[in-house]
Amino acid sequence: MDPADEPSSLQDVLLKAIKGVREDVKDVKEQVANLKEEFLKRSRHNTKAFSAATSNDAAALLQQLGLAEVNGNEEEQIEKPSDCPVVAEDFDYSRYPDEDTGTPYLLDHHKKQLQKFGVNFGRGYFAVYDIHSDRSMYSFVTKSGLEYRGTADGCISAYGLMKSVAGCGGYCAVLFEHKQSSEAQTAFREREPQWKGEGESAKRPFKYEALKGQAVTSYVGAAASSNFPLMLDLTDGVQHNLLLVRQRELVVWTNLDSTTAYYKLALHLAEVYKHCSALHPNLRCNLEDLPEDIRAPLKKFRSLAESDHLKEQLDSVLSSCAEEDKFSAAYEIIESWMQSSSAKVPMSLDISRMFS
């Protein structure tokens, strides 16, 4: 050792040790700060709205879930009774300047048409909920770490619930995605030339293939939270596209007229009521209470939502930790989730990436 480096007193030894500890703490703080920034950066760049999802996104998601996309028009045609006396009415979206303005009226229209087919609304039965203003009601994370967020325009759930994921979102049987066609919007603006509103313009043609990304991600987001088997109706008020997951298939019926669509939706709601009313007088049954053939498809979606609970736990625990303890605390939390057979940790929270 160089004599110049040799400590001359106990005080020098202690000062040198304290300096080393401070440098270690500083290093840990820098690592935590870098980890936080990396996590936030990944979150910012790996989030996509349901409305921005593409057909390729839908295909990748269905492949991850092991679901085949089936053409219901060919494989399972909807056949109304030949003597069916009910004829459903179309909805005239050209009476409204934009999609959002017309949504409450279209939801009321859905309710009236379904009542014609015998669907009951009120205490002990169903209710229609307008959820279009909650832009991030649903979310889930794929295996690649991509997080989808968004909402739908409305839903039919058990009666008497709050407009939240834990409320109507937890007991959703039918989800509605509304699209005002460009023709309907043009008709309104030609009829009302004095209108100066700033409503969103219809950007895409009303065809299932053009809107598949949004329809599928909305379906998955809602199904990941619901205790009910779910059917989605993507509609412009005239044409209807229905989606339903059964076993290992996503069955899609496209370009249905209103009578056929509401007839099928009414059959679906009757099935939900039959199973759930036997379990709970207010239809608020748990997923575990349903028959296995109904419960199995919904389990696929639950794993996509579980990673949100990991983020919540990290936020809760790390906010109360001292800076020098956050690094090890985060490691322990994530490691315990990875060791749990039921937890699906997204790539954006993979330990090898976060702590390398």
Side-chain angles (χ1 to χ4, degrees):
M1 176 183 291
D2 189 324
D5 295 332
E6 187 174 353
S8 59
S9 67
L10 178 60
Q11 182 179 3
D12 291 337
V13 172
L14 291 175
L15 288 173
K16 193 168 186 178
I18 292 171
K19 181 180 179 182
V21 170
R22 286 176 175 172
E23 289 177 349
D24 288 343
V25 171
K26 180 181 178 182
D27 183 58
V28 169
K29 286 184 177 180
E30 289 177 352
Q31 290 185 62
V32 171
N34 292 337
L35 175 63
K36 180 179 179 181
E37 178 59 30
E38 177 66 16
F39 179 78
L40 292 174
K41 184 166 63 175
R42 289 175 185 271
S43 299
R44 284 194 297 268
H45 292 289
N46 288 320
T47 300
K48 180 177 282 191
F50 292 165
S51 58
T54 66
S55 294
N56 288 337
D57 291 328
L61 186 54
L62 293 176
Q63 185 177 24
Q64 176 182 332
L65 291 166
L67 296 173
E69 188 179 18
V70 175
N71 186 338
N73 295 10
E74 295 183 359
E75 293 294 316
E76 191 180 327
Q77 292 186 4
I78 301 171
E79 296 183 1
K80 302 186 301 293
S82 58
D83 58 347
C84 178
V86 179
V87 177
E89 299 174 14
D90 291 338
F91 179 79
D92 185 5
Y93 232 138
S94 70
R95 297 168 56 194
Y96 307 96
D98 54 61
E99 181 182 307
D100 284 353
T101 303
T103 278
Y105 301 96
L106 181 47
L107 290 174
D108 186 60
H109 177 83
H110 295 321
K111 179 179 179 180
K112 291 177 180 177
Q113 303 313 303
L114 289 167
Q115 285 175 321
K116 293 180 181 180
F117 288 95
V119 178
N120 292 312
F121 293 89
R123 186 176 301 277
Y125 294 98
F126 297 105
V128 178
Y129 297 85
D130 185 343
I131 58 175
H132 82 278
S133 60
D134 187 347
R135 299 297 183 183
S136 57
M137 182 168 180
Y138 299 114
S139 67
F140 63 90
V141 182
T142 67
K143 285 183 179 178
S144 66
L146 178 60
E147 181 179 16
Y148 288 99
R149 287 188 173 275
T151 189
D153 289 295
C155 65
I156 296 178
S157 304
Y159 176 83
L161 299 170
M162 298 295 288
K163 293 181 183 180
S164 66
V165 174
C168 63
Y171 302 91
C172 177
V174 173
L175 196 70
F176 292 108
E177 278 287 0
H178 298 163
K179 292 296 173 186
Q180 184 185 42
S181 67
S182 55
E183 293 81 5
Q185 193 172 79
T186 298
F188 174 86
R189 295 182 180 186
E190 288 178 348
R191 190 172 62 248
E192 305 287 344
Q194 76 282 2
W195 184 77
K196 303 296 183 182
E198 298 180 354
E200 184 177 353
S201 299
K203 298 176 181 177
R204 289 183 279 187
F206 183 71
K207 294 181 180 179
Y208 172 70
E209 286 300 324
L211 298 164
K212 181 191 295 187
Q214 181 175 1
V216 171
T217 51
S218 295
Y219 186 104
V220 173
S225 303
S226 184
N227 290 296
F228 288 173
L230 178 69
M231 180 171 278
L232 180 144
D233 183 8
L234 170 66
T235 181
D236 65 350
V238 178
Q239 290 186 3
H240 298 255
N241 303 275
L242 302 183
L243 282 68
L244 175 67
V245 167
R246 278 200 308 243
Q247 299 302 321
R248 298 180 180 179
E249 298 177 339
L250 172 66
V251 186
V252 182
W253 293 272
T254 58
N255 302 323
L256 301 178
D257 62 78
S258 292
T259 299
T260 303
Y262 287 119
Y263 170 75
K264 184 64 175 178
L265 288 169
L267 289 179
H268 173 70
L269 288 167
E271 281 292 307
V272 171
Y273 180 79
K274 180 180 73 173
H275 289 293
C276 296
S277 62
L279 299 169
H280 197 288
N282 291 320
L283 305 184
R284 295 167 203 165
C285 58
N286 294 320
L287 181 61
E288 293 74 18
D289 299 328
L290 295 174
E292 178 59 25
D293 61 326
I294 297 177
R295 186 169 70 244
L298 294 176
K299 287 181 179 179
K300 292 178 177 288
F301 304 114
R302 288 296 170 92
S303 65
L304 295 173
E306 284 179 347
S307 55
D308 278 351
H309 302 311
L310 171 55
K311 289 184 180 180
E312 291 172 4
Q313 187 177 355
L314 282 168
D315 290 342
S316 175
V317 173
L318 298 185
S319 64
S320 60
C321 282
E323 286 294 326
E324 59 268 26
D325 296 330
K326 288 185 177 181
F327 187 83
S328 58
Y331 186 98
E332 290 176 5
I333 292 170
I334 298 170
E335 186 176 43
S336 68
W337 274 73
M338 292 186 72
Q339 292 173 350
S340 170
S341 59
S342 63
K344 309 296 183 183
V345 181
M347 288 294 291
S348 58
L349 291 178
D350 184 73
I351 289 180
S352 64
R353 290 170 177 258
M354 291 178 71
F355 294 93
S356 58

